[in-house]
Amino acid sequence: MSENCLQLSGELINSPKLTKSPAGIVHCKFKMKHESRQTEANLIRQCFCIMPIVVAGEMATQVSNQIEKGNKIKVSGFLASHKNQSGNGELVLHAQYIEKII
């Protein structure tokens, strides 16, 4: 199987930060807070997560100029594991599409 697609909406909890990889690729990084109510086994449950997001390439600069902390967005892309600052693996959403929700 090779399916890997996620769509998630939420609120930016930090300002987008531009970085450049050793290969010279521009990345825009930020975190998004998702909260919702979902039905599971015929019961309503509260869902909450904080999802790290990365946008690469030409889209990274555009996104960093269009969104800011507190904005509500819808993101779709694929998941990949990255090592965080403490060396632990975490899932990161690599955004291929971002829509600002007004």
Side-chain angles (χ1 to χ4, degrees), residues 26-65:
V26 177
H27 292 90
C28 176
K29 299 176 182 179
F30 55 92
K31 290 188 179 184
M32 180 177 79
K33 174 178 71 172
H34 168 83
E35 295 181 74
S36 65
R37 295 169 57 100
Q38 303 294 321
T39 303
E40 181 178 42
N42 293 320
L43 298 170
I44 302 292
R45 71 177 284 178
Q46 288 292 118
C47 294
F48 171 84
C49 69
I50 293 181
M51 179 63 68
I53 314 263
V54 65
V55 185
E58 294 176 24
M59 189 174 146
T61 304
Q62 294 170 351
V63 166
S64 71
N65 291 326

Side-chain angles (χ1 to χ4, degrees), residues 5-16:
C5 184
L6 176 68
Q7 184 176 69
L8 197 63
S9 62
E11 180 180 330
L12 269 71
I13 60 172
N14 65 330
S15 297

